[in-house]
Amino acid sequence: MSDRTIPVSPLDLDTPEKTYLDANELILNMGPQHPATHGVLRVILRLDGEKVLGLECVIGYLHRGVEKIAENRTYTMFNPYVDRMDYVAAVSNGLGYCEAVEKLLNIEAPPRANYIRVILTELNRIASHQLWLGTHALDIGAMTPLFYTFRDREEILKIFEKYCGARLTTHAFRIGGCQYETYEGFEKDVKKFVAFVAPKIDEYEELLTTNRIWVERTKNVGTISAKDCIALGVTGPVLRASGVKWDLRKAQPYANYQQFDFEIPTGQNGDTYDRYLVRMAEMRQSLRIIQQAVDGIPEGPIMAKVSKVMKPAVGEIYHSIEAPKGELGYFIVSDGSTQPYRVRVRPPSFVNLQALDVMCRGQLVADVIAVIGTLDIVLGEVDR
Amino acid sequence: MPWDSPLVTKLKKQYGSGFEAQTYLGQNYLRVDRSLIPNILKQLRDEEQFDYCVDLTAVHYPKRERQFDIVWILYSHPKNERIRVKTEIAEGESTPSSVDIWATTNWLERETFDMFGIRFDGHPDLKRILLPDGWKGHPLRKDYGIIQQDQEWVQINLGIESGQ
């Protein structure tokens, strides 16, 4: 293939060729214990002065063998484990897993359950983006957004807590629907939250969108083209910021997303600034979905008829959803027993992180921090 | 269930035996002979517009003669369609790398190597990705127990008797 621009050859990490005074190439280690790597990510940088010539990611520090555990648990027992992958968007993980098993069992969640699922998943998308914004801005040197976003994210966590008792690893859904009926005042709380957070998103934008330092640090930093994104399998806001209008909620709707009216925000330049704008716009779209869902939520059962012992027929399924970070897929192979024969998780963070090298080449060391932030990775999901 | 479509007819004409198209729960997949990899993958990308490789993984069936299924999950942005390509390989056999076709398979192949010990010929840097470099064994094989670990590695590198 001749049109490839993506470097796939391994990085030469031995002693730089020119080590004398005429050059200042060096190998620099960043992490795994570094506050700006959002967890335990180790990056080995090859530098020429301040310029990045290439980098290599070392991952696996949080590997817990989630896929192996799945083979030794029943379908129901594995459900809580998926929350521990992308722990800032646990609800999305659960939705993807439950829907995949439902497809395998050939059952469907009732309409009311789908509405609850959409409301909680979209709330979680906002919470995930808020956490991303706070930490990303903090990495770049803006401290205030962190306090703003965490203050407002708290309201979402309160709703989760009231709904299912947990704030982070919620285990909100069951295979076949939802375990819990909404609590009294749930709809009121959600409506109140939508009204509360809409102006807050404007507030975040006031802090950053035209802020000179923010713009200087993010515009034309970590640029990636749409073609490279597709070749590297990058999905989610990163892909959309490069101008590809692709969102699984529209392309292959799951739950009941086809019933809601919303847009897919896209960017043009594929740089850090555009990714920021795309995520801000996504939060507003999520609010639109939540508003419609909470207005239209029907009465009815919240669980489909599911037998206590689940034994899907021999076969396999791939189901994916649009998690806050990109395409989250589950590939499940059933051998007809109560335990899955194989569960493969297609993690968006893992695949997106692979683009770090392409995005950082030619940039400065300080920009690496900005690019790691803008990729919005969660190491729990990268390493599984 | 067998699957039929213009794409399948076309590929059948070209490859004949060593090729099987099936569908289950509305999802289509191709079972192809190992010798057709990577040509069929290249063709799917270049002619059938499957421009995005979603995932690459493997499944271990220790009782079978050819123990491993390698699975490529592909998606086409222009067609909004998914397809899976599967091939069987035996223990110790390798398969051609598809890094040249989709750059994303770089890490995915490394992970498959790490977890199953399957080698991909022509991969630029095939080494472990999630487990430490010196680790012995491939945990997602069925004969690897759930609490099994590389005791020696744990003792030397972590300085503890056992990680359990």
Side-chain angles (χ1 to χ4, degrees):
Chain A
M1 208 187 127
S2 53
D3 56 342
R4 194 182 63 212
T5 50
I6 295 158
V8 286
S9 55
L11 193 63
D12 176 19
L13 291 172
D14 295 334
T15 325
E17 287 150 31
K18 291 180 277 180
T19 46
Y20 295 104
L21 291 171
D22 57 330
N24 30 11
E25 270 187 38
L26 81 147
I27 306 286
L28 185 73
N29 180 61
M30 192 171 110
Q33 302 291 350
H34 189 288
T37 56
H38 292 228
V40 275
L41 167 69
R42 180 177 169 216
V43 183
I44 307 169
L45 299 157
R46 189 185 170 92
L47 303 172
D48 178 8
E50 279 273 311
K51 209 175 100 193
V52 178
L53 299 176
L55 59 84
E56 190 179 314
C57 297
V58 182
I59 58 174
Y61 296 96
L62 279 183
H63 182 60
R64 290 147 295 169
V66 166
E67 292 172 16
K68 186 76 185 177
I69 293 171
E71 293 172 11
N72 292 274
R73 297 283 180 277
T74 64
Y75 288 92
T76 325
M77 280 162 83
F78 181 59
N79 198 352
Y81 282 92
V82 298
D83 287 0
R84 274 84 183 159
M85 291 186 303
D86 181 357
Y87 39 78
V88 298
V91 180
S92 295
N93 292 343
L95 178 67
Y97 176 70
C98 289
E99 287 208 328
V101 180
E102 282 161 15
K103 268 188 147 180
L104 197 59
L105 287 164
N106 237 328
I107 53 172
E108 243 175 57
R112 183 174 169 84
N114 273 333
Y115 272 86
I116 297 175
R117 284 176 171 191
V118 166
I119 293 170
L120 293 179
T121 320
E122 290 306 318
L123 281 174
N124 206 171
R125 188 184 311 276
I126 297 174
S128 169
H129 282 359
Q130 280 174 333
L131 186 127
W132 158 80
L133 179 67
T135 50
H136 180 39
L138 185 66
D139 287 347
I140 294 182
M143 201 177 231
T144 317
L146 181 80
F147 299 120
Y148 281 30
T149 53
F150 271 63
R151 175 195 64 196
D152 305 337
R153 179 169 163 266
E154 184 66 22
E155 300 304 317
I156 299 175
L157 300 185
K158 272 185 196 156
I159 294 177
F160 287 166
E161 194 177 5
K162 271 166 111 176
Y163 174 73
C164 62
R167 290 157 57 86
L168 214 57
T169 46
T170 46
H171 191 204
F173 308 136
R174 298 297 184 272
I175 296 158
C178 305
Q179 163 119 35
Y180 309 108
E181 185 48 85
T182 54
Y183 63 87
E184 216 184 302
F186 173 76
E187 283 150 53
K188 213 179 103 208
D189 275 5
V190 172
K191 279 181 186 160
K192 217 170 101 190
F193 171 76
V194 172
F196 161 80
V197 88
K200 301 290 184 212
I201 297 174
D202 299 336
E203 217 170 77
Y204 311 153
E205 286 227 59
E206 251 166 59
L207 283 174
L208 297 170
T209 307
T210 52
N211 180 326
R212 178 103 184 262
I213 305 168
W214 180 259
V215 173
E216 295 267 320
R217 286 295 308 274
T218 55
K219 266 212 171 136
N220 296 320
V221 167
T223 311
I224 185 164
S225 69
K227 200 175 132 231
D228 284 358
C229 274
I230 291 171
L232 281 165
V234 171
T235 46
V238 185
L239 175 68
R240 291 191 282 274
S242 296
V244 182
K245 203 169 182 160
W246 186 76
D247 187 316
L248 275 170
R249 289 174 292 175
K250 286 267 193 209
Q252 301 189 334
Y254 51 93
N256 57 348
Y257 276 104
Q258 65 279 3
Q259 295 175 2
F260 304 114
D261 184 27
F262 64 99
E263 274 145 38
I264 309 173
T266 53
Q268 286 122 35
N269 307 320
D271 59 4
T272 304
Y273 186 70
D274 273 22
R275 285 187 281 274
Y276 155 75
L277 291 181
V278 163
R279 289 198 178 96
M280 299 310 279
E282 262 179 28
M283 283 200 247
R284 294 205 173 87
Q285 295 301 326
S286 291
L287 285 179
R288 266 178 81 185
I289 298 171
I290 295 168
Q291 186 69 52
Q292 291 168 49
V294 81
D295 285 339
I297 189 165
E299 292 295 317
I302 52 164
M303 271 297 273
K305 278 213 168 72
V306 188
S307 65
K308 283 237 163 67
V309 182
M310 285 173 206
K311 277 190 177 176
V314 180
E316 54 184 47
I317 196 89
Y318 177 78
H319 179 67
S320 60
I321 65 158
E322 185 74 31
K325 287 155 187 76
E327 175 171 357
L328 171 72
Y330 290 89
F331 176 65
I332 304 178
V333 181
S334 163
D335 62 349
S337 73
T338 54
Q339 297 175 346
Y341 190 74
R342 168 105 173 89
V343 174
R344 159 73 185 167
V345 184
R346 192 266 181 204
S349 294
F350 177 83
V351 182
N352 288 1
L353 182 59
Q354 205 180 172
L356 186 66
D357 188 14
V358 178
M359 289 161 88
C360 287
R361 288 199 182 204
Q363 306 275 338
L364 303 178
V365 183
D367 297 334
V368 176
I369 305 291
V371 177
I372 292 174
T374 191
L375 275 173
D376 192 15
I377 47 160
V378 164
L379 269 300
E381 186 179 60
V382 172
D383 298 340
R384 282 155 290 135
Chain B
M1 264 200 313
W3 168 46
D4 213 17
S5 78
L7 167 69
V8 172
T9 324
K10 192 175 145 199
L11 291 172
K12 260 221 166 96
K13 213 184 234 168
Q14 201 177 340
Y15 295 107
S17 63
F19 173 88
E20 205 183 310
Q22 290 187 314
T23 180
Y24 183 69
L25 295 173
Q27 301 191 341
N28 307 321
Y29 61 94
L30 309 172
R31 280 197 161 279
V32 303
D33 194 75
R34 183 185 159 273
S35 59
L36 302 181
I37 305 284
N39 290 342
I40 197 162
L41 297 175
K42 212 168 245 169
Q43 190 180 351
L44 283 171
R45 188 201 62 178
D46 292 340
E47 291 167 27
E48 307 302 331
Q49 300 178 305
F50 285 96
D51 49 357
Y52 163 31
C53 179
V54 182
D55 202 359
L56 187 166
T57 189
V59 187
H60 187 205
Y61 298 95
K63 285 184 193 131
R64 256 177 18 191
E65 196 193 333
R66 307 177 94 184
Q67 292 189 358
F68 297 98
D69 260 2
I70 302 179
V71 187
W72 285 262
I73 302 171
L74 310 179
Y75 176 81
S76 162
H77 276 286
K79 290 202 252 182
N80 189 20
E81 235 178 66
R82 274 181 208 285
I83 196 174
R84 285 198 295 272
V85 179
K86 294 209 264 185
T87 189
E88 288 180 15
I89 64 162
E91 164 77 31
E93 249 185 329
S94 62
T95 185
S97 164
S98 40
V99 174
D100 277 346
I101 307 172
W102 298 284
T104 178
T105 51
N106 187 346
W107 281 21
L108 297 171
E109 281 176 5
R110 276 177 67 188
E111 194 185 341
T112 310
F113 164 70
D114 194 358
M115 294 297 155
F116 291 92
I118 296 168
R119 301 201 74 86
F120 292 86
D121 294 333
H123 187 285
D125 190 21
L126 196 64
K127 58 180 182 191
R128 287 187 185 271
I129 186 163
L130 292 178
L131 294 176
D133 282 334
W135 196 268
K136 283 194 197 80
H138 301 284
L140 280 182
R141 290 183 174 212
K142 287 286 174 187
D143 48 16
Y144 198 98
I146 185 164
I147 57 164
Q148 191 183 334
Q149 52 176 242
D150 185 351
Q151 288 285 3
E152 204 188 327
W153 190 94
V154 170
Q155 281 162 7
I156 294 171
N157 290 282
L158 303 181
I160 51 175
E161 196 50 43
S162 161
Q164 291 300 334

